[in-house]
Amino acid sequence: FPTRRSSDLTWTIVTLDEQLLKKESEQLNWGSTGMLGDFGKDTWIFTALHTGSTTLKLECLRSFNTTDIAQTFVVTINIQ
């Protein structure tokens, strides 16, 4: 997910079925230019625990204002 250092925006898990998916890790890599507003990349790794179907939902929020949602990511995951 794109992440901007200067904006104080962070991605947060809103919906995760922990019976089917486990979040293993999250790594934030800032943009390479070091300039204000340079986008970085927030990489998340999940492991499937069981077969089934689930929805993963994430929201990009400011840490000081959790009602101001900048972006939403929703995906349906089918685990076989």
Side-chain angles (χ1 to χ4, degrees):
F1 304 103
T3 300
R4 192 178 309 169
R5 180 185 317 203
S6 63
S7 65
D8 194 35
L9 292 170
T10 56
W11 287 95
T12 303
I13 296 173
V14 177
T15 304
L16 172 65
D17 184 341
E18 294 179 346
Q19 299 299 314
L20 296 178
L21 288 176
K22 177 183 177 188
K23 179 183 166 192
E24 295 289 347
S25 66
E26 176 182 354
Q27 182 176 354
L28 180 58
N29 297 302
W30 293 116
S32 60
T33 68
M35 297 180 67
L36 188 63
D38 187 11
F39 281 94
K41 188 181 288 186
D42 205 354
T43 304
W44 299 41
I45 306 291
F46 293 89
T47 299
L49 301 175
H50 300 284
T51 60
S53 181
T54 186
T55 299
L56 173 64
K57 180 178 179 181
L58 298 105
E59 292 178 342
C60 189
L61 313 162
R62 293 188 190 279
S63 62
F64 57 86
N65 184 355
T66 57
T67 60
D68 183 16
I69 301 167
Q71 203 170 6
T72 301
F73 174 83
V74 180
V75 64
T76 300
I77 301 170
N78 296 308
I79 305 165
Q80 300 181 0

